[in-house]
Amino acid sequence: MDMADLLVAYLEQLGVEYVFGVPGGAIEPLYNAIARNLRRGGNLNHIVARHEAGAAFMADGYARETGKIGVCISTSGPGATNMLTAVATAYGNNVPMLVITGQPALPSFGKHTLQESACTGIDVLGMFRHCTRYNSLVSHPQQLEWKLITALQHATRSPAGPVHLSVPVDVFRAPSTQSKPNYDMGSLLRPASLVDSGAIENLRDMLSGARNVVILVGGGCGDSIHSILQFAKLKGATFVTTPDGKGLVSPQHPLYRGVFGFGGHASAEAALNDPSVDLIVAVGTSMGEWNTGGWNASLLNDRLVHIDESEEHLARTPMARYHLRGSLRAIFDRLIDRIHQAGSHTDPTVERRRMARDKAAKHWNPEDMLDAPEAFHSDANPLTPQRLMKELGELFPHSTRYLADAGNSVAWATHYLQPQCRRMGERRFGGGDRPREMGKRQSAGGWLRLTTHFAPMGWAIGAAIGTAAGNPSAPVVCITGDGSFLMSGQELSVAVAEQQCVIFVVLNDRALGMVKHGQRLGGAEQIGYALPPTDFAAMSRAQGGRGYTIRSAADLQALDIKSICNYPGPTLLDVYIDPEQVPPMGSRLRVLLDEGQ
């Protein structure tokens, strides 16, 4: 074995099935080790991206689907810098990722070696320093194992995120003094379930005294969503979600009042503003612009209780009445146990409220939350984006994973996408499918995935491929824009090569839609948003995929969805949408206008 073989052995120990990357000279020993491992019958394979940013987006999608760490690799220099945007995205969204970049041999440092990018060349470590949880150059073979272990612990501990190791080619090639890993990473990375019993008792007392509670479910609740929803039922509490938390719950849940934040619903803000609400319990949310509606006072006030595993997130709510840090699942399991022990679930006030809400639930229609319901049902041609979301939610099976790209795509999906085939009462429905585990670690999962905070165009294209690699049995629908596809659409050929069932839905309005509508709504100059007419279905076919042109709801309904979902390869739907439909982006516009004052 050489040191590259040792790294591969650790990845296999973690249960990682794929690494995503683009080969090159400085990273070649790692690819050699992967090939040797495959010949020995190993399970670690590789997927070659078309661009290094695509590789890191794929690792992001893989991590969210499987709950395992996403791994992306690149050569030195431009291979590493190409990854920066995608790594920063994982950092902003707390996605655990191991980033391995190559370097020329150590003796050549400082000699202007081709693609040198360590401390004596273009300083890649300096670039990664601000978007990783751990970042180091492995300058000696004996450093590799313990730096790898340290990096993996930083990647998976709260706050999770990407870590980066830059490894010179001669360090990778150095002989290993051991034939197998020294450490059991399953036990080292097992998440702690530490809780502060006193703090939970304080919270329980606050909740016992509250007569009307609203819960805000954030994107970090995937591991604990079943416990949170059980608590909501016992407490008779309604709940809303952040945009990135929407995919963890049922759009048809009778206690659900919609999305609060970017692309959200007036019903969610109304639930928070209800004067009878005593406490707003925000769980697993980072409290950034998108998941607070632009730091809306409806949420950020002295009724707020903020529960999270990350001190960074808790620090953003100094106005909160109470903060509690710890394992979300352990906290809510403890609260549920205490409710049952105390018999407080029979509180007359709570019971009356639950009965009233159960009665109201019989008449609850999730479409009541939507803006412009007439566009949601419109038969107009060109197709309204609202109607497109309705059709996508009805056409695909319950196991489908939807990913919405940055821009108008995420606004339309957040507000209007409502899969109708997900039924209440099913265990899987409380938070989508129960995520798979790596040891005790679980995926954030959910049926809808998006990226907030850094939010680059094209994220969903690569992430959809990573999602399909992590779970080849589920259809993956990537909702993206024409601008995003022109930026990163070449990754579709990866789905061709890997025979993945990924459905790319391109919202074709010949514009950078969010830019266009933002300029109009904000009174800015109309400039720089127009895109030329493009046949995206033909682009897909040129890369080896399927392609269909969609101009109406009837065109969508005429598709053979069963055949598409069973096809071993990607399908692209080039959907000509009404370019004049304005996406629900009010909170973003308010922030932009406030910043201009």
Side-chain angles (χ1 to χ4, degrees):
M1 293 180 68
D2 59 25
M3 299 309 296
D5 291 302
L6 181 62
L7 174 56
V8 168
Y10 268 108
L11 296 180
E12 277 218 308
Q13 188 190 93
L14 291 169
V16 174
E17 301 152 299
Y18 291 99
V19 298
F20 306 88
V22 179
I27 201 71
E28 183 180 273
L30 185 52
Y31 276 92
N32 291 341
I34 293 170
R36 289 193 292 268
N37 179 264
L38 288 170
R39 282 201 303 272
R40 292 193 295 265
N43 295 319
L44 181 68
N45 214 319
H46 68 95
I47 290 179
V48 179
R50 305 302 176 249
H51 187 277
E52 287 87 356
F57 288 146
M58 292 172 198
D60 181 325
Y62 177 86
R64 296 189 196 212
E65 174 62 29
T66 64
K68 302 172 184 177
I69 193 163
V71 183
C72 54
I73 59 179
S74 81
T75 193
S76 59
T81 57
N82 280 349
M83 281 185 169
L84 272 170
T85 295
V87 174
T89 303
Y91 182 84
N93 290 270
N94 301 123
V95 177
M97 182 185 295
L98 174 63
V99 183
I100 303 289
T101 63
Q103 287 291 349
L106 282 162
S108 69
F109 277 24
K111 295 181 178 180
H112 213 187
T113 306
L114 179 67
Q115 298 182 339
E116 182 181 349
S117 53
C119 51
T120 55
I122 301 298
D123 189 0
V124 164
L125 266 79
M127 297 178 191
F128 278 104
R129 182 173 300 122
H130 302 288
C131 59
T132 53
R133 301 293 178 188
Y134 180 85
N135 176 47
S136 186
L137 172 71
V138 180
S139 57
H140 191 281
Q142 292 182 3
Q143 294 178 352
L144 180 61
E145 186 174 37
W146 65 263
K147 283 192 173 183
L148 174 64
I149 291 165
T150 302
L152 291 170
Q153 289 178 318
H154 279 276
T156 54
R157 295 283 186 258
S158 182
V163 294
H164 171 233
L165 293 178
S166 191
V167 187
V169 65
D170 53 336
V171 172
F172 265 140
R173 289 174 176 155
S176 173
T177 59
Q178 58 200 75
S179 60
K180 62 181 181 179
N182 283 321
Y183 298 90
D184 175 10
M185 297 306 296
S187 59
L188 281 176
L189 301 184
R190 186 170 294 118
S193 296
L194 298 177
V195 293
D196 185 334
S197 297
I200 293 178
E201 285 302 304
N202 291 338
L203 175 60
R204 189 189 68 81
D205 290 341
M206 294 175 66
L207 291 166
S208 296
R211 289 295 176 253
N212 195 355
V213 176
V214 176
I215 300 171
L216 176 70
V217 175
C221 295
D223 181 38
S224 55
I225 188 62
H226 297 283
S227 298
I228 293 170
L229 295 187
Q230 184 181 358
F231 171 80
K233 182 178 179 181
L234 290 172
K235 189 63 181 174
T238 54
F239 66 89
V240 299
T241 72
T242 61
D244 53 337
K246 177 180 178 179
L248 299 175
V249 303
S250 162
Q252 290 85 35
H253 197 297
L255 297 177
Y256 179 51
R257 292 298 175 266
V259 174
F260 180 78
F262 180 80
H265 304 103
S267 56
E269 188 164 354
L272 296 179
N273 281 327
D274 183 341
S276 71
V277 170
D278 304 289
L279 293 178
I280 299 169
V281 181
V283 190
T285 176
S286 63
M287 295 296 182
E289 176 189 333
W290 275 32
N291 45 33
T292 62
W295 305 286
N296 193 312
S298 301
L299 172 66
L300 302 181
N301 56 60
D302 62 3
R303 296 179 298 165
L304 179 65
V305 172
H306 191 183
I307 305 174
D308 206 280
E309 296 186 20
S310 168
E311 289 180 347
E312 290 181 15
H313 297 171
L314 295 174
R316 299 191 183 111
T317 54
M319 77 298 294
R321 182 180 302 183
Y322 196 68
H323 293 92
L324 178 56
R325 184 187 181 199
S327 164
L328 303 183
R329 180 190 283 185
I331 289 170
F332 278 89
D333 284 348
R334 186 77 62 88
L335 289 173
I336 291 167
D337 288 343
R338 294 291 286 140
I339 289 174
H340 285 300
Q341 291 170 11
S344 56
H345 57 292
T346 60
D347 181 289
T349 303
V350 172
E351 285 299 309
R352 284 195 297 272
R353 187 166 64 251
R354 183 185 300 114
M355 290 175 63
R357 286 176 176 165
D358 287 346
K359 183 178 179 180
K362 296 178 181 179
H363 307 286
W364 169 244
N365 183 350
E367 292 185 16
D368 294 341
M369 299 185 295
L370 304 181
D371 295 344
E374 69 283 355
F376 191 66
H377 294 278
S378 173
D379 291 323
N381 188 345
L383 186 66
T384 65
Q386 297 93 325
R387 180 63 186 272
L388 171 62
M389 295 301 121
K390 178 179 185 294
E391 294 298 325
L392 292 179
E394 294 178 351
L395 288 172
F396 289 94
H398 77 268
S399 59
T400 302
R401 274 67 168 143
Y402 297 88
L403 291 90
D405 223 332
N408 283 1
S409 301
V410 73
W412 294 123
T414 297
H415 193 93
Y416 289 100
L417 188 62
Q418 295 185 343
Q420 297 298 312
C421 53
R422 298 170 188 270
R423 295 287 178 245
M424 283 303 304
E426 297 181 39
R427 177 67 173 169
R428 67 171 181 270
F429 190 65
D433 295 333
R434 172 70 80 169
R436 293 185 291 166
E437 298 190 16
M438 189 284 290
K440 293 287 185 179
R441 182 175 177 78
Q442 293 188 326
S443 167
W447 56 268
L448 174 64
R449 293 147 199 204
L450 48 88
T451 180
T452 59
H453 310 309
F454 209 59
M457 294 169 62
W459 164 83
I461 297 171
I465 292 169
T467 302
N471 187 359
S473 65
V476 179
V477 174
C478 170
I479 304 169
T480 189
D482 45 4
S484 292
F485 201 81
L486 288 170
M487 189 178 288
S488 301
Q490 73 280 352
E491 302 299 343
L492 179 144
S493 73
V494 179
V496 172
E498 299 297 324
Q499 298 185 322
Q500 293 179 336
C501 178
V502 180
I503 298 92
F504 295 94
V505 181
V506 180
L507 279 59
N508 191 342
D509 59 0
R510 300 183 183 180
L512 301 175
M514 185 159 287
V515 174
K516 179 181 78 172
H517 292 292
Q519 289 173 347
R520 289 182 179 179
L521 295 172
E525 296 288 344
Q526 293 281 279
I527 185 172
Y529 66 82
L531 297 173
T534 305
D535 187 340
F536 292 100
M539 286 180 64
S540 177
R541 291 191 291 268
Q543 296 182 70
R546 287 177 166 183
Y548 298 94
T549 300
I550 305 295
R551 299 183 185 276
S552 66
D555 290 342
L556 281 171
Q557 293 165 355
L559 295 171
D560 186 344
I561 295 298
K562 183 176 181 180
S563 173
I564 288 173
C565 291
N566 290 324
Y567 178 66
T571 300
L572 185 142
L573 307 182
D574 184 5
V575 186
Y576 285 78
I577 60 169
D578 182 350
E580 298 308 312
Q581 292 291 322
V582 180
M585 54 182 290
S587 66
R588 177 61 179 154
L589 188 64
R590 286 196 300 270
V591 171
L592 289 173
L593 292 176
D594 288 344
E595 289 174 346
Q597 293 178 355

